[in-house]
Amino acid sequence: MKRWFCAFACALLMPALALADFSVGITEMDELNSHLVVLYPQFESEEELNEEEQAAADAQVAAMKALMDIRFQPAEAQQAARRAGAQIGQSAVVYQDGRIASMALIWQGTQADDSDGSRVFTLTMDLETGEEVTFDQLFSDPDAAASAMEAIISEEILASMNSYIEVAELLPMPRDCFAFDEWGLTVYYQGDKYRNFDGTSGSVYFAWHELEAYIGEESPVYELSRPQSADAQAIEQAVGEGSFGAVSDLALGQTLRSVEENQGLEDPDFTTMAKVYPVKGPRGWAVEIPKYAETADEDTPVSAIRASCIGLHGLMTGRTTREEVLALLGEPDKEVAYDEDEAFDALLVPGQSLMYTLAGHVLEVHLDEEGVLSCLILHEAMPESLY
């Protein structure tokens, strides 16, 4: 009742606090053999507040902190870290835009109940009211959205599940553990339902354009979910910078070791000329290194980045057609056809690739047999096999 009253009081004064800035802060600390992350609300205003406004702001911060402490359990984590033999590794992902904050805390190792495992705690919060935003509130038809997401899980993940997965009970998909950013929404699983071979909890990423049809104008993520406008210059800039600039911080030239440390990698697959390491986290993303590099794999720079689930300035996997690609980027420098065997060797689906040299790098736009975008591959240079 007290928390409800505080939120109500804040809501009454919210017009006066419209210019105030509620946000989420992050503190990281080392406790004995553990690394802990604390998420907390904070308030800053560019205008001087009167006593009543300041009281309302303080009340909302207190209510937000209570909710975040219940969800993320910082006190319990510190207590667990002080137990003999405890080892905890926490990391956090936070997206916020001044109106909404979406948070995920990944807790590895010793848990609050002294068990050992992997858990994920999430919270999406309306920064204007301090209230939680649920999965159902994101969608005009939550059941239809969940069904579409489960269809993707079944067709793209379960159908090709590899041996690095230790536990894989992905269906039904949980609706109570998710977070999002400007690129898409990630559903997290607890370690007893979906766990990788290294013990980390699994997750499934969905690009916004895959969910757009189920998000109405009243949704707090409506603006986020609208596809980026088609922009050839923005695509060329991203290619020139050696990064798709979406979902992750992957970039050409990073060593495989740095990608492993920052993103996490799964066991590699192989093409004729490259080793392809799927990246943990975003669905359908991978990095390549040359198959016959002179350096050890971990010291070898990334030579290509793959994304089969991406929306990039008008290029949307599963949606953009060949005609739309040509209208956006023009005629390619080279076209490469892949039959079933050639596609298998290249870890692609049968179809055709359009090769574009842009700002010193090469963008491969791979289309399936229906002429729909299936995968984007950013190459350091034109692959030798295509000279």
Side-chain angles (χ1 to χ4, degrees), residues 31-240:
E31 187 84 22
L32 297 177
N33 296 320
S34 298
H35 183 77
L36 306 182
V37 176
V38 178
L39 302 175
Y40 59 90
Q42 53 190 4
F43 170 80
E44 296 179 356
S45 176
E46 296 180 357
E47 297 186 357
E48 184 176 349
L49 304 181
N50 61 39
E51 184 176 346
E52 189 176 27
E53 291 169 338
Q54 187 64 54
D58 292 342
Q60 178 165 324
V61 168
M64 293 167 66
K65 183 178 185 303
L67 179 57
M68 294 169 69
D69 286 352
I70 291 172
R71 187 62 51 86
F72 299 123
Q73 305 178 31
E76 291 85 343
Q78 291 183 46
Q79 291 176 0
R82 298 188 184 109
R83 296 175 191 151
Q87 291 188 333
I88 300 173
Q90 291 187 335
S91 60
V93 179
V94 178
Y95 167 80
Q96 53 187 329
D97 60 10
R99 295 171 299 174
I100 200 166
S102 191
M103 301 160 272
L105 177 74
I106 296 89
W107 184 335
Q108 301 286 128
T110 306
Q111 302 295 309
D113 61 3
D114 209 27
S115 64
D116 186 74
S118 177
R119 296 198 66 191
V120 183
F121 303 87
T122 64
L123 176 64
T124 294
M125 182 179 291
D126 185 325
L127 293 176
E128 296 182 353
T129 66
E131 297 178 349
E132 181 173 6
V133 177
T134 67
F135 179 93
D136 286 3
Q137 289 175 304
L138 302 181
F139 302 100
S140 54
D141 189 339
D143 291 338
S147 294
M149 296 163 78
E150 289 183 341
I152 291 173
I153 291 172
S154 180
E155 295 170 5
E156 297 189 18
I157 300 179
L158 291 178
S160 59
M161 193 68 76
N162 292 324
S163 59
Y164 57 79
I165 301 298
E166 184 175 353
V167 178
E169 298 179 21
L170 278 72
L171 299 177
M173 182 192 76
R175 299 194 196 187
D176 61 350
C177 197
F178 70 91
F180 57 77
D181 58 19
E182 63 266 46
W183 306 107
L185 182 146
T186 299
V187 173
Y188 293 92
Y189 291 77
Q190 302 308 337
D192 60 343
K193 293 295 184 181
Y194 180 15
R195 184 170 67 249
N196 296 312
F197 189 74
D198 63 2
T200 57
S201 294
S203 63
V204 181
Y205 161 79
F206 301 89
W208 281 126
H209 72 266
E210 297 178 296
L211 307 176
E212 174 194 2
Y214 309 100
I215 299 174
E217 294 185 6
E218 296 182 358
S219 170
V221 296
Y222 176 77
E223 294 298 332
L224 281 177
S225 68
R226 300 305 95 180
Q228 295 175 324
S229 59
D231 189 337
Q233 289 185 339
I235 294 172
E236 182 170 3
Q237 179 178 348
V239 172

Side-chain angles (χ1 to χ4, degrees), residues 207 209 227-232 235-236 239 244 307 309-322 324-329 354 356 358 363-367 373 375-376:
H209 72 266
Q228 295 175 324
S229 59
D231 189 337
I235 294 172
E236 182 170 3
V239 172
F244 285 131
C309 179
I310 185 175
L312 182 70
H313 304 294
L315 297 176
M316 292 174 283
T317 51
R319 181 182 299 188
T320 304
T321 64
R322 174 187 171 89
E324 291 169 329
V325 174
L326 295 177
L328 179 59
L329 298 179
L354 310 181
Y356 292 90
L358 301 171
L363 178 65
E364 180 174 356
V365 181
H366 186 70
L367 310 170
L373 178 60
C375 183
L376 293 179

Side-chain angles (χ1 to χ4, degrees), residues 342-366:
E342 292 166 334
F344 179 83
D345 290 339
L347 300 178
L348 296 169
V349 299
Q352 186 177 54
S353 283
L354 310 181
M355 312 296 295
Y356 292 90
T357 301
L358 301 171
H361 294 139
V362 174
L363 178 65
E364 180 174 356
V365 181
H366 186 70

Side-chain angles (χ1 to χ4, degrees), residues 330-345:
E331 292 295 327
D333 299 308
K334 187 182 293 288
E335 297 187 23
V336 184
Y338 290 87
D339 61 22
E340 188 170 343
D341 290 337
E342 292 166 334
F344 179 83
D345 290 339

